[in-house]
Amino acid sequence: MKTAQQLIAEAKAAITEVTAREVQDALGRGEALTLIDIREQNEWALGHAAPAQYIGRGVLESQIEAKVPRDARVVLMCASGNRSALAAVTLQQMGYGNVASLAGGFRDWVASGGEVAG
């Protein structure tokens, strides 16, 4: 059996992580990038990255295909970067080839001056 921390460490070793500043810079340059916030609905309602769209972690697998093509550049965001790392592994298994997790999550987005809505 594995602990949650072991699963998260394995996920982070298997995926790409990007910083909030890297995402902000890419969006500022007009690069095509889909930022998806997978936090719980109540977390989203308290504030979220302005350019993000919401797909809760609990429904990510069932809703992603209708909203985001598999060849899109996708960055997943949660509060701290752990849930998004686990979700990035899942999207890779679903055939999303250009998916990353936002290291530090929404906390780092805010700390780095990212635009917040909500």
Side-chain angles (χ1 to χ4, degrees):
M1 287 192 250
K2 296 179 184 180
T3 66
Q5 288 306 318
Q6 288 170 321
L7 289 173
I8 292 165
E10 287 177 7
K12 288 184 176 189
I15 56 119
T16 299
E17 288 188 292
V18 294
T19 67
R21 176 56 48 206
E22 289 171 329
V23 173
Q24 292 159 8
D25 290 347
L27 291 169
R29 291 189 298 270
E31 294 179 21
L33 184 150
T34 303
L35 182 60
I36 299 176
D37 191 324
I38 65 163
R39 296 176 300 154
E40 299 294 324
Q41 183 68 45
N42 63 322
E43 292 173 288
W44 167 267
L46 291 172
H48 53 272
Q53 61 179 290
Y54 177 76
I55 305 177
R57 176 68 188 100
V59 295
L60 181 66
E61 294 85 353
S62 63
Q63 292 187 4
I64 188 77
E65 293 173 290
K67 297 181 178 184
V68 182
R70 280 191 170 88
D71 62 350
R73 180 178 176 195
V74 177
V75 176
L76 300 173
M77 169 192 286
C78 65
S80 65
N82 292 338
R83 288 176 285 178
S84 57
L86 294 166
V89 169
T90 300
L91 290 191
Q92 286 176 343
Q93 292 170 342
M94 291 179 68
Y96 284 82
N98 193 358
V99 63
S101 171
L102 184 69
F106 183 66
R107 291 179 197 147
D108 280 4
W109 180 269
V110 171
S112 65
E115 186 179 353
V116 175

